[in-house]
Amino acid sequence: MNIRVGIVGYGNLGKGVQRALPQHPDMALQAIFTRRAIDDIDTGTPHVPVHAVETLPDWRDQLDVLLLCGGSASDLPEQTPRYAALFNVVDSFDNHAQIPSHRQRVDPVARAAQRVAIISAGWDPGLFSLYRLLGEAILPRGETHTFWGEGISQGHSDAIRRVPGVLDARQYTIPNDAALEAARTGDGPPLSPQQRHRRVCYVVAAAGANTADIEQRIVTMPGYFAGYETAVHFVSSEELQRDHSGMPHGGTVIRFGHTGEPRPVAHRLEHALRAGANPDFTASVLIACARAAVRLHREGISGCRTMLDIPPAYLSPRSIDDLIAALL
Amino acid sequence: MNIRVGIVGYGNLGKGVQRALPQHPDMALQAIFTRRAIDDIDTGTPHVPVHAVETLPDWRDQLDVLLLCGGSASDLPEQTPRYAALFNVVDSFDNHAQIPSHRQRVDPVARAAQRVAIISAGWDPGLFSLYRLLGEAILPRGETHTFWGEGISQGHSDAIRRVPGVLDARQYTIPNDAALEAARTGDGPPLSPQQRHRRVCYVVAAAGANTADIEQRIVTMPGYFAGYETAVHFVSSEELQRDHSGMPHGGTVIRFGHTGEPRPVAHRLEHALRAGANPDFTASVLIACARAAVRLHREGISGCRTMLDIPPAYLSPRSIDDLIAALL
């Protein structure tokens, strides 16, 4: 099977797809589509053409699936329904509260076009959602705990950069060791996000800025840092670039549950991700979902799906006979 | 949804299903079926009737799904095709090499009867197979490492009991810490099962037996202990009963992979199970698969499936709308 892929949007995630695709021998990148001026885009390779998104309708017969790599705030709510009318598509829409309404907008369009749209793919939402489903389906009496990190949080880094006197910043979200251990052993009450995580910030201050004031503004920032154990380290621009320019991330989903009456027996499932680069790993999940979208489409299935309602075998290039013989 | 369940076979796994079912409010145990004399069976509760397996055809309209809890050596190869002609069924057939031929025997029967048969459910094969699939589909360039333990291995415990002079024994399979760490960091070559695990044996010797001779026979036993780091501890019958009568087990599936050219970035997925009682956890997976079998059947689907080719949402009692709103 050869799957012809188009990337829409050439930010961190689109570049991650470009880096991850060569690991998938059944997939071939045909073109990158952008809203920016085409001449401004350097893909690092002459083999991948860049086109304006307006030309996409001309590519209907030349692409099997589109990977939509825009943002959830404004790009995907508009792009996913639009392109699901023309192509099989995969997106990483991650505004949790709005996923049901996003799905309701995408599903009728994809059905009418007899295309498959897989939404909210990635690691959370996506793979971690699947882990949460498995945990509660197998061990219904229990608790699910999701931890994020250790890794760079883009939103929190941006929030620090908006503090007066800050030139640049990176923020690491780190699981609290005691909270992780409590989740593993089923001890204690459910914990809030503030109790499950701590935050470590590396900040470049402007010359002459009041660092005590900056630190105070960060640790008390509502919605981002207030209530969290937060450490602030001031570093030079060079140190930030040298030591904190990667985009590692990850997380852990723990299900702790019981079986048995009258003497309960405890069981634990623990699923952990360490991604060396967040965009590359998210892209890798999107690529597996792109394969599933094409395989479902070729079987005559249409509509909006998620990682929760795709048979996992469709994520793999191998046949079900092969998977059963090799992995079951 | 109310799902009426029958258990076939009342050994460790059948009892595990009985203990785990009360955690699943959508399922109700209707009856246990056995080949043994009915009067010999004590289910510990007057609410669960015990019947002879020969009466099963009379129960066609009173059961939605049968959980087949016999052994893979001789019970399931005969029982699964037989009962798939009458019921939706789930088994835990775990003879890896023979799963494809088992599937080929079950599938046509289930299709002809318009029933769903889910085979080889449990944690390995089953949940761990799904983890292996996810790892290689998302990170195709990499290595998968499966570790078993720490936990009691029934087959190895039985093998020790066959050594002359041994009255009773329990054997723990334990992952080798250095091998686990190497898998996590992607260091070193792939390791053999002997390098990935060590074995710890607790043995009750007969009065006057030559324990040095017993130990020598154990550690050199081909196919079971030869080549492994094996420790043998002689204990009293009381100590064995007091400290080693549980059936804990578990394991870890690690996928270590890379993305990116020319500078590869490393990613790791790690999935770990700690089951307080192996039969109870295996039973919990079978129960989730029983739910999936019934839901697939009610949608008009038939034939033989595995955990690799069921949409995960079918394992849950919740609707897909509910799952997406709550977990995605």
Side-chain angles (χ1 to χ4, degrees):
Chain A
M1 182 158 71
N2 195 42
I3 297 175
R4 300 165 301 171
V5 176
I7 294 173
V8 179
Y10 198 61
N12 280 334
L13 183 56
K15 290 172 186 168
V17 171
Q18 185 183 13
R19 280 191 299 269
L21 261 177
Q23 326 309 332
H24 298 257
D26 59 328
M27 330 253 321
L29 180 56
Q30 301 297 105
I32 292 165
F33 300 88
T34 180
R35 288 175 307 191
R36 289 186 278 164
I38 290 170
D39 292 343
D40 290 353
I41 307 279
D42 177 9
T43 65
T45 164
H47 304 299
V48 180
V50 180
H51 296 276
V53 287
E54 290 75 19
T55 67
L56 265 168
D58 303 334
W59 287 78
R60 280 184 66 173
D61 298 330
Q62 295 164 70
L63 298 174
D64 297 305
V65 60
L66 275 190
L67 294 185
L68 304 176
C69 299
S72 297
S74 54
D75 298 334
L76 298 175
E78 182 265 323
Q79 289 180 344
T80 309
R82 170 186 295 185
Y83 296 124
L86 300 169
F87 298 94
N88 300 309
V89 300
V90 176
D91 80 19
S92 64
F93 185 81
D94 66 358
N95 186 329
H96 289 263
Q98 294 183 21
I99 291 173
S101 60
H102 185 58
R103 177 168 166 253
Q104 280 175 8
R105 282 192 303 273
V106 174
D107 188 56
V109 178
R111 281 185 197 276
Q114 297 192 288
R115 294 288 183 171
V116 174
I118 298 179
I119 61 164
S120 302
W123 62 269
D124 199 353
L127 193 59
F128 277 25
S129 318
L130 176 55
Y131 293 151
R132 288 190 282 264
L133 187 163
L134 292 169
E136 70 166 49
I138 293 169
L139 297 171
R141 187 164 60 133
E143 295 286 340
T144 300
H145 308 266
T146 300
F147 295 85
W148 294 288
E150 176 173 345
I152 293 277
S153 166
Q154 213 57 57
H156 286 76
S157 301
D158 290 344
I160 299 172
R161 290 189 199 104
R162 290 193 293 266
V163 172
V166 170
L167 295 181
D168 201 355
R170 296 285 191 292
Q171 192 265 187
Y172 292 87
T173 303
I174 303 178
N176 181 312
D177 285 339
L180 260 176
E181 200 49 34
R184 287 190 179 118
T185 54
D187 288 338
L191 300 175
S192 68
Q194 286 83 350
Q195 293 168 310
R196 291 202 304 273
H197 304 94
R198 59 195 177 90
R199 302 192 175 281
V200 177
C201 315
Y202 293 89
V203 180
V204 181
N210 181 338
T211 56
D213 179 61
I214 290 173
E215 176 167 351
Q216 187 61 20
R217 282 171 181 257
I218 292 171
V219 302
T220 58
M221 195 187 294
Y224 286 91
F225 296 96
Y228 286 91
E229 180 190 332
T230 301
V232 178
H233 303 288
F234 289 94
V235 296
S236 70
S237 183
E238 294 71 31
E239 284 173 300
L240 194 77
Q241 193 59 34
R242 186 190 67 207
D243 301 334
H244 306 288
S245 64
M247 283 183 279
H249 216 319
T252 305
V253 177
I254 294 173
R255 180 69 178 183
F256 187 89
H258 290 93
T259 55
E261 305 286 357
R263 283 177 304 179
V265 177
H267 310 279
R268 183 176 81 237
L269 287 168
E270 181 164 343
H271 310 87
L273 163 66
R274 294 291 297 145
N278 194 1
D280 293 40
F281 187 82
T282 300
S284 299
V285 179
L286 261 63
I287 291 166
C289 288
R291 181 182 294 121
V294 173
R295 295 183 68 181
L296 289 164
H297 171 72
R298 289 180 181 167
E299 293 192 4
I301 288 164
S302 66
C304 184
R305 298 287 180 113
T306 71
M307 291 185 75
L308 305 183
D309 51 355
I310 301 169
Y314 284 74
L315 300 169
S316 168
R318 306 170 82 168
S319 72
I320 185 66
D321 288 355
D322 192 13
L323 288 169
I324 285 173
L327 302 183
L328 199 71
Chain B
M1 182 158 70
N2 194 43
I3 296 176
R4 300 164 302 170
V5 176
I7 294 172
V8 179
Y10 198 61
N12 280 334
L13 183 56
K15 290 172 186 168
V17 172
Q18 185 183 11
R19 280 191 299 270
L21 260 177
Q23 326 309 330
H24 298 256
D26 58 328
M27 331 251 325
L29 179 57
Q30 301 297 104
I32 292 165
F33 300 88
T34 181
R35 288 176 307 189
R36 288 185 278 164
I38 290 169
D39 293 343
D40 290 353
I41 307 279
D42 177 8
T43 65
T45 164
H47 304 299
V48 180
V50 181
H51 296 278
V53 287
E54 290 75 19
T55 66
L56 265 167
D58 304 334
W59 286 78
R60 280 184 67 174
D61 299 330
Q62 295 164 70
L63 297 174
D64 296 305
V65 61
L66 275 189
L67 294 186
L68 305 177
C69 298
S72 297
S74 54
D75 298 334
L76 297 175
E78 183 265 324
Q79 289 180 345
T80 309
R82 171 186 295 184
Y83 296 124
L86 301 170
F87 298 95
N88 299 310
V89 300
V90 176
D91 80 18
S92 64
F93 186 81
D94 66 358
N95 185 330
H96 289 262
Q98 294 183 22
I99 291 172
S101 61
H102 185 58
R103 176 168 166 254
Q104 281 175 8
R105 281 192 304 273
V106 173
D107 187 56
V109 178
R111 281 185 197 277
Q114 296 192 288
R115 294 287 184 170
V116 174
I118 298 178
I119 61 164
S120 302
W123 61 269
D124 199 354
L127 193 59
F128 277 25
S129 319
L130 175 55
Y131 294 150
R132 288 190 282 264
L133 187 163
L134 291 169
E136 69 165 48
I138 294 169
L139 298 171
R141 187 163 59 130
E143 296 284 341
T144 300
H145 308 266
T146 300
F147 295 85
W148 294 287
E150 174 172 345
I152 293 279
S153 166
Q154 213 57 57
H156 285 76
S157 302
D158 290 344
I160 298 172
R161 291 190 198 102
R162 291 192 294 266
V163 172
V166 170
L167 295 181
D168 202 354
R170 297 285 191 292
Q171 192 266 187
Y172 292 87
T173 304
I174 303 177
N176 182 312
D177 284 339
L180 260 176
E181 200 48 35
R184 287 189 179 118
T185 54
D187 287 340
L191 300 175
S192 68
Q194 287 83 351
Q195 293 168 309
R196 290 201 305 274
H197 304 94
R198 59 193 178 89
R199 302 192 175 280
V200 177
C201 315
Y202 294 89
V203 179
V204 181
N210 181 338
T211 55
D213 178 61
I214 289 173
E215 176 167 351
Q216 187 61 20
R217 284 171 181 256
I218 292 171
V219 301
T220 58
M221 197 186 296
Y224 285 89
F225 296 96
Y228 285 91
E229 180 190 332
T230 301
V232 178
H233 304 288
F234 290 93
V235 296
S236 70
S237 183
E238 293 71 31
E239 285 173 300
L240 194 77
Q241 193 59 33
R242 186 190 67 209
D243 300 335
H244 306 288
S245 63
M247 284 183 279
H249 216 320
T252 305
V253 177
I254 294 173
R255 180 70 179 183
F256 187 90
H258 290 93
T259 55
E261 307 285 356
R263 283 177 304 181
V265 177
H267 311 279
R268 182 176 81 237
L269 286 169
E270 180 164 344
H271 311 87
L273 164 67
R274 294 291 296 144
N278 193 3
D280 293 40
F281 187 82
T282 301
S284 299
V285 179
L286 262 61
I287 291 166
C289 288
R291 181 183 294 120
V294 173
R295 295 182 68 180
L296 289 165
H297 171 73
R298 289 181 181 168
E299 293 192 2
I301 288 163
S302 66
C304 184
R305 297 286 180 114
T306 71
M307 291 184 75
L308 305 182
D309 51 356
I310 302 169
Y314 285 75
L315 300 169
S316 167
R318 306 170 81 167
S319 71
I320 185 65
D321 288 355
D322 191 14
L323 288 169
I324 286 173
L327 303 183
L328 199 70

